[in-house]
Amino acid sequence: MTRTVYSLRKPENHRACIVLNSAHSGRDYPEPMVAASNLSTTQLRSSEDAYVDELFGAAPGLGVPMLSANFPRAFVDVNRASDELDPALIQGISKRSMNPRVACGLGVIPRVVAEGREIRAGKMTLMAAKTRLSKYYWPYHRQLTHLLDETQKAFGSVLLLDCHSMPSQAGGADPIPYDIILGDRFGASCGGDLMDIAESFFADAGFNTGRNAPFAGAHLAQKYGSPLVGRHVIQIEVNRGLYLDEVTVAKSELFSDVQSRLTGVLAALIDHLSPKAAMAAE
């Protein structure tokens, strides 16, 4: 069976300088990965941003493109730097330059899923790791880069909405007190005025919002966010407890309501940032 790395949905008319990205909602689990794992399919899906691509799926119909990964985060995590390789998983990798994410098993090729459960027994070769990156990681980043460049050329600036979900409990213990957490790396990946506008639209839709804690934005926000040159990134974390049964990874009865409210937020933001809105304001 032929697998596609990502899905790219473009609007008939690109209305605003916005691009959506869902890097962790992929659920096409390669058969060799499943066969090599001692975990059930449901356990493998525990760190997936389940159905986030559907929560924000109205974007192309509203006038902005959306890129989403088809492969799962547990296979390759494009929200990590390409050199975040885990020596506990990959043969021939030095331990000297490990950061805390990699040490916890959450490198570019993850060693664990939620609750620290190991995906597979034993190590993989460095060649196998590099092959996985060449087939999945780099094509995804090339497409996202092209999409951002194309959008900025058309509009003069670009806003990437990096869409994710978060567990309802931080570290499996304390409930996260927010419906939505917006991350801009404490101002490094998005202009303050734009962040304020986005947060106001989420609040208008009835979402309880927080900023940057405990999720400020990871590699995608760091790599693509540069407000001084007109490149803005806002990481959006949706509380899974709003729309998902986190044990079975199934949509809850509130899914459609949350999806509808998020669609309203997108529509408001697109209307606000469309060139026609800017001309009317002038």
Side-chain angles (χ1 to χ4, degrees), residues 131-203:
T131 298
R132 195 178 291 189
L133 296 184
S134 71
K135 289 184 177 181
Y136 295 87
Y137 183 93
W138 291 115
Y140 194 90
H141 274 277
R142 283 194 294 269
Q143 180 58 71
L144 182 56
T145 298
H146 175 72
L147 198 55
L148 295 174
D149 289 345
E150 181 180 69
T151 302
Q152 186 168 21
K153 183 178 180 181
F155 294 93
S157 63
V158 60
L159 168 62
L160 173 62
L161 299 179
D162 187 29
C163 304
H164 298 268
S165 67
M166 58 186 175
S168 60
Q169 293 181 309
D174 299 326
I176 292 178
Y178 301 107
D179 298 329
I180 304 283
I181 293 179
L182 302 178
D184 63 357
R185 297 184 65 83
F186 300 94
S189 73
C190 184
D193 290 345
L194 191 51
M195 187 72 164
D196 290 343
I197 290 165
E199 186 171 28
S200 73
F201 288 139
F202 280 101

Side-chain angles (χ1 to χ4, degrees), residues 72-89:
R73 175 190 192 179
F75 189 64
V76 173
D77 190 345
V78 296
N79 202 18
R80 297 287 181 262
S82 61
D83 61 354
E84 291 189 80
L85 299 170
D86 187 349
L89 176 66

Side-chain angles (χ1 to χ4, degrees), residues 62-74:
L62 294 172
V64 295
M66 182 169 189
L67 179 68
S68 55
N70 293 331
F71 56 89
R73 175 190 192 179

Side-chain angles (χ1 to χ4, degrees), residues 60-134:
L62 294 172
V64 295
M66 182 169 189
L67 179 68
S68 55
N70 293 331
F71 56 89
R73 175 190 192 179
F75 189 64
V76 173
D77 190 345
V78 296
N79 202 18
R80 297 287 181 262
S82 61
D83 61 354
E84 291 189 80
L85 299 170
D86 187 349
L89 176 66
I90 303 167
Q91 297 172 6
I93 299 297
S94 170
K95 296 181 179 180
R96 286 178 295 180
S97 59
M98 271 200 306
N99 64 37
R101 290 189 300 271
V102 176
C104 290
L106 298 174
V108 64
I109 298 179
R111 174 167 44 88
V112 303
V113 291
E115 299 179 12
R117 292 172 290 199
E118 295 210 354
I119 294 171
R120 55 172 287 166
K123 292 188 177 185
M124 64 192 302
T125 66
L126 180 58
M127 179 62 70
K130 288 182 175 180
T131 298
R132 195 178 291 189
L133 296 184
S134 71

